Amino acid sequence: MRIKVLAAKLLAQKVNRETQKWASKPEETQQKVFKRLIKEASQTQFGKEHHFDQIKTVQDFAAKVPVRDYEALRPYVDLVVQGKPNILWKGKPIYFAKTSGTTSGAKYIPLTKESIPFHIQAARNALLSYIYETGNADFVKGKMIFLQGSPILEEKNGIKLGRLSGIVAHYVPKYLLKNRMPSWETNCIDDWETKVNAIVNETIKEDMTVISGIPAWVQMYFEKLQEKSGKKVGELFQNFSLYVYGGVNFEPYRAKFENLIGRKVDSVELFPASEGFFAYQDKPNEKGMLLLLNAGMFYEFIKADEFFTENPKRYTIGEVELGVNYALIISTNAGLWAYNIGDTVQFTSLKPYRVIVSGRIKHFISAFGEHVIGKEVEQALKEAMDGTTVRVNEFTVAPQITPESGLPYHEWFIEFENEPENTELFALKIDNAMRKQNTYYNDLIEGKVLRTLVITNVAQNGFQDYMKSIGKLGGQNKLPRLCNDRAIADKLKSL
C-alpha cells in the first residue's frame, strides 16, 4: 500500500508540472488547440461548407461560423447519427452520449477517439491535483465509489450510445479496478432505488475513502446507509476523506451532508458535461475551477447580458474579465463548432484561469441535476389543461430542497383563473407530462429522490403584487417561469 501512495504522489507531481506548462501560457495554448481543430476538420462536410480552408484567425472563424445550440446544429448531428462519416469531425464518433433533449426528444452528443481520453484524463487529474496540493494520498488505499448511470450501452447505426457516466465506466484504469465500487453487476441495475440498496449492501462493510456523485443521489445513499447501520456515515467509513461532485451547486446540501457524515470532509468540484470536461477544482482553498485550456476544446465567451442581441461580441480567453457572466461557447475535437452548451460562467481568477458555473443562459431548474427548462414546464401545463376547463393566469416553478417532511419536490406556484376540481390529480397530470419530456426528472421521481410536484395556489393578482414589489410591474418585464432557488417562491409566500 505504501508503494501505491508513493506512486500516486509522484504521478501528482508529474501532472502538476504538465499543468503549469500550459496554464502559464493560456493564449498560446488555446491558439494551438484552435489551429489543430481547424486543420483536422477542414475536409469534413461542416469544414467545407464553412470554408475552414480560408480560416486563419479567430476573427475569421467568428465571421464564418455562427454560434449554434443543439437544435441549430442538429441537421449535421442527424447525419452523424445516420452513420455517415466526415460530417462534423473526421470519420465517425465511437460513442453518442445520450442526454435529455431541449425541444425535440433526446440529444446525441458525439464522442470521438480524440475527445474521450480528455474526459478520463481530467477526472484523474482532479484527484491528482488534490493529492499534490494537500499531500493526502492515503485514500488510494481504500475503496472508491462512483454513483453513475448504467454502463450497458445501446447501438445506433453501428455507434454505441448511453449516458456519459456509463460510457466512461468502460475506461476505469486497471490500477483502480480493485478499489472501484460498486460492482459491475450492481452498476448495471436500471432501477435506481434497487441500485442504491444494492450499493448499500456492497459497501456498508468496506473501507470507503472516496465517494463521488451528484449531491441528491449521494444524499439518498447516505440516508440509506444510516438507516441500515444506525451510524453516521463518518463513523461507518472512518477513513472517508474526500467527496467529489459536479453538475449541481453543493452549498444547499453541505449542512445536510455534514450532519449525515458527522464531520466535515474535503470536497473536489468538477465541471463535466457530455460535450466536454471543462474544469476541475485544482486548489482546495481557491474559489473556482481550473479551466482546461489544453483539452481539445477552443473556448469563446459571450457576455450573458449581450447574448440575445444581434451579433454579440465573442471573446477569447485573453479578453475575459473577472466577475462577468459569460455564456460558454465551445468548439471541440468531437465536432461541436461554436456550440452554446447553455451554461454561464464567471472567472474568479485570470492567473490561472478559474471559473465558477453561474447558471444557465436561460432560466432553468437543476437543483437535483434534472435540467428542467421553460419549454418543458409550459408544455406540461398545457397538456394537463387540454380537454379541461382549467385556466391559468400565471405561474412559476421552484425547487423545495428541504421540506418539513417527506422527499424534496418541485413547487408550482399557480394563479388559476378557473381552478381544477381536484388539484392533486391535476398536479399528477403535470408531473406525468414532465416525466415524458425530461429523462433526468423521470429518473429522480423513479429513484425516489423527488416526489410528485406540489401545487401552491397564488391569490388573484398575486403575481402582479410580486412584480410590483420588486419594481418590475409592466413594460417588458417578465416573470421567470423557472428559478433554481427559492427567491421568488419565498417572496410569493410572504405577500
Side-chain angles (χ1 to χ4, degrees), residues 14 29-30 60 70 93 109 124 146 167 198 215 222 226 254 266-267 276 332 374 386 396 409 436:
K14 177 177 181 291
T29 299
Q30 276 284 274
D60 293 340
Y70 183 83
I109 305 299
R124 180 203 69 173
F146 301 90
I167 292 170
F222 284 171
Q226 193 174 70
R254 190 177 293 277
D266 287 348
S267 62
T332 77
D386 284 345
T396 190
Y409 54 89
K436 283 192 299 182

Side-chain angles (χ1 to χ4, degrees), residues 308-344:
F308 295 105
T309 62
E310 189 174 352
N311 298 319
K313 178 174 171 55
R314 290 153 65 170
Y315 297 88
T316 57
I317 195 65
E319 300 172 304
V320 296
E321 304 171 57
L322 293 174
V324 176
N325 214 28
Y326 293 102
L328 181 61
I329 311 299
I330 60 170
S331 296
T332 77
N333 56 6
L336 301 176
W337 300 103
Y339 184 86
N340 170 28
I341 67 168
D343 286 315
T344 57

Side-chain angles (χ1 to χ4, degrees), residues 59-284:
Q59 291 72 27
D60 293 340
F61 179 75
K64 295 182 183 298
V65 183
V67 172
R68 292 176 168 95
D69 59 12
Y70 183 83
E71 292 305 316
L73 196 65
R74 185 165 183 165
Y76 293 98
V77 177
D78 284 346
L79 295 174
V80 181
V81 173
Q82 291 168 21
K84 295 183 178 179
N86 304 316
I87 303 298
L88 288 165
W89 189 253
K90 57 186 181 181
K92 298 181 183 181
I94 53 177
Y95 299 102
F96 289 117
K98 188 177 180 181
T99 71
S100 180
T102 54
T103 58
S104 51
K107 295 196 297 184
Y108 296 91
I109 305 299
L111 298 170
T112 64
K113 65 180 181 180
E114 290 85 6
S115 70
I116 249 304
F118 287 108
H119 285 270
I120 313 306
Q121 184 184 86
R124 180 203 69 173
N125 289 356
L127 292 179
L128 291 172
S129 288
Y130 171 81
I131 290 172
Y132 179 82
E133 291 295 328
T134 65
N136 173 25
D138 288 343
F139 64 80
V140 303
K141 297 186 290 188
K143 300 285 187 177
M144 306 179 189
I145 189 169
F146 301 90
L147 296 180
Q148 56 192 189
S150 171
I152 296 175
L153 305 179
E154 304 172 48
E155 195 168 293
K156 197 172 186 72
N157 296 320
I159 300 172
K160 293 179 180 180
L161 67 93
R163 298 281 180 91
L164 176 65
S165 61
I167 292 170
V168 298
H170 291 261
Y171 289 85
V172 176
K174 289 183 179 179
Y175 60 83
L176 280 183
L177 285 176
K178 288 184 179 180
N179 298 66
R180 181 183 180 278
M181 299 194 80
S183 66
W184 185 268
E185 292 74 19
T186 294
N187 225 8
C188 290
I189 296 173
D190 281 327
D191 179 75
W192 181 251
E193 191 167 27
T194 303
K195 184 173 187 172
V196 172
N197 286 331
I199 293 172
V200 168
N201 291 334
E202 281 190 359
T203 59
I204 197 165
K205 294 183 179 180
E206 296 288 347
D207 179 23
M208 304 304 303
T209 56
V210 177
I211 296 173
S212 175
I214 292 174
W217 302 111
V218 175
Q219 180 176 313
M220 183 178 179
Y221 167 60
F222 284 171
E223 289 170 343
K224 287 183 176 291
L225 279 170
Q226 193 174 70
E227 181 183 333
K228 184 162 185 173
S229 69
K231 298 179 180 179
K232 296 281 189 181
V233 173
E235 183 184 355
L236 197 62
F237 303 143
Q238 294 184 13
N239 294 315
F240 171 40
S241 61
L242 185 61
Y243 172 53
V244 183
Y245 68 95
V248 174
N249 183 9
F250 180 51
E251 289 311 310
Y253 299 89
R254 190 177 293 277
K256 177 71 171 178
F257 266 54
E258 290 179 0
N259 181 55
L260 287 166
I261 297 167
R263 55 182 166 84
K264 293 183 178 182
V265 298
D266 287 348
S267 62
V268 173
E269 184 177 7
L270 312 178
F271 184 10
S274 299
E275 294 88 349
F277 201 125
F278 307 117
Y280 60 74
Q281 187 177 357
D282 63 318
K283 289 185 180 292

